[in-house]
Amino acid sequence: MEFGWPEAQRKYRERVRSIIDRDLPEDWPEIHRHGLASPEQAKAGRVFAGKLAKEGLLVQHWPKEFGGGDGEPWEHFILGEEMWPRGEPRGPQYMNVNWLGPALMKYASAEQRERFLPPIIAGDVIWCQLFSEPSAGSDLAAMQTKSVRVGEEYVVNGMKVWTSYARLAEWGFLLTRSGPARRDITILLVDMKSPGITIRPFPGIVEDGHLHEVYFDNVRVHVENRLFEENRGWEPVTYALNYERVGVQRYQIIHDAMHQAVKELKRRGTFDNDPLVQRDAGIVLAKCEASRLISYEVVDQRARNLPPSEDASVARMSAKECIMAFNDFVSTWMPEVLSEEPIGGDWQLSWAHSFTIASAIAAGAYEIQCDIVATRQLGLPRGA
Ligand SMILES: Cc1cc2nc3c(=O)[nH]c(=O)nc-3n(C[C@H](O)[C@H](O)[C@H](O)COP(=O)(O)OP(=O)(O)OC[C@H]3O[C@@H](n4cnc5c(N)ncnc54)[C@H](O)[C@@H]3O)c2cc1C
């Protein structure tokens, strides 16, 4: 047995790196400082994603019949490993290729695929995820935003919260309650400029402008924009969430940031003779490697077309472990990273901290992942 990348994938990674080096604008650190959810980065992201698309790299992992390159999920992962530590130059469009596209490929009608996939493939559209509500986060099926069918339209009323990128998005992947049973959920693909939608940003633990409340007041969505069947939206949602859980290579952001942290501490002369800081750095890096290997397990299952498993939850848990170890490390050994100012001219350290801080909550809270693993993987009984 040999653990390592085959030659073709090594070359692929080199190609991705050279394209990033070639195509990232010179003022990228400046653009990036506005934040992943800023109009500045979204604009730069469109240009960059467009270039990736022209190189055949944006949706390389999608099947050819849907406009991809028939690549392996591994290549998509390599792309993410190279993008995230550089501040995610695709901007919010990473979501399109991670979970939205796969959900559309599996559940959309032929006409919907023709309409919605080309802009994603070209790197020229921003979507947002309209799932969570004030009383429906972990317990997503408790959502209350209602859709009522009236003739050829659905009329939507309610409110979503925590929506990342809402003010930038052209389209929303909206979950609505459409019947009395708990899982009577209907997914609507909603034009975010529709009359009756109000978007309000609110501050949060991530950058300002990232999170929003989205209100729906008699918003009309044509039935042709319903994804899959009425009242059967739960199935595409769980499918999409499995993709989302390992969609951001957080271990790689932390891995690269840790190496920069060590470099900076060495420059300051506070690393080489201090066994405590060395031990702590080793712990963070070991957790990164554990998280990487568990994530690879999930990719391997995907590459072999196995059904989604609870390992995606284990991968999310391991990512949180390495992030928390990193945050402990920086708050102990270089707390100034917690300020927004770049350290030693290096913006990637503070980015790693500020972006990953919400990792125990976003895309499914840590405790919920523990619950999934405990009950479904370990077969433990549910608590009272
Ligand atoms: C940065 C960020 C970006 C986000 N972006 C989006 C987005 O774009 N679109 C979107 O729809 N949502 C988004 N979310 C929302 C996210 O999915 C929810 O915050 C998450 O699902 C948790 O839901 P909640 O906030 O309602 O917390 P709750 O579900 O109320 O949970 C609160 C706490 O209680 C714990 N808890 C809850 N139930 C249980 C249980 N059964 N057992 C043990 N512990 C439990 C949770 O683990 C958590 O620690 C985002 C969140 C963040 C922080």
Side-chain angles (χ1 to χ4, degrees), residues 129-132 137-138 161-164 206 211 358 361-363 365 367-368:
Q129 183 195 68
L130 296 155
F131 290 11
S132 306
S138 302
V161 71
W162 300 110
T163 317
S164 306
V206 285
L211 298 168
I361 312 167
E367 291 75 12
I368 302 305

Side-chain angles (χ1 to χ4, degrees), residues 310-331:
E310 295 78 35
D311 289 336
S313 293
V314 184
R316 286 272 306 141
M317 291 165 66
S318 67
K320 184 246 177 187
E321 296 295 339
C322 76
I323 287 160
M324 294 304 157
F326 171 75
N327 286 334
D328 281 351
F329 183 89
V330 290
S331 46

Side-chain angles (χ1 to χ4, degrees), residues 336-353:
E336 59 282 15
V337 169
L338 307 180
S339 83
E340 283 175 12
E341 283 310 303
I343 308 299
D346 201 340
W347 53 270
Q348 281 149 308
L349 269 174
S350 30
W351 147 245
H353 167 73

Side-chain angles (χ1 to χ4, degrees), residues 133 135-143 182-183 234 368:
E133 297 181 10
S135 301
S138 302
D139 186 11
L140 196 51
M143 77 185 71
R182 195 168 139 78
R183 294 208 171 158
W234 194 249
I368 302 305

Side-chain angles (χ1 to χ4, degrees), residues 216-231:
F216 295 84
D217 182 10
N218 286 319
V219 175
R220 291 180 170 268
V221 182
H222 199 276
V223 69
E224 68 190 15
N225 283 9
R226 185 189 70 218
L227 183 75
F228 200 46
E229 294 166 35
E230 186 170 289
N231 287 341

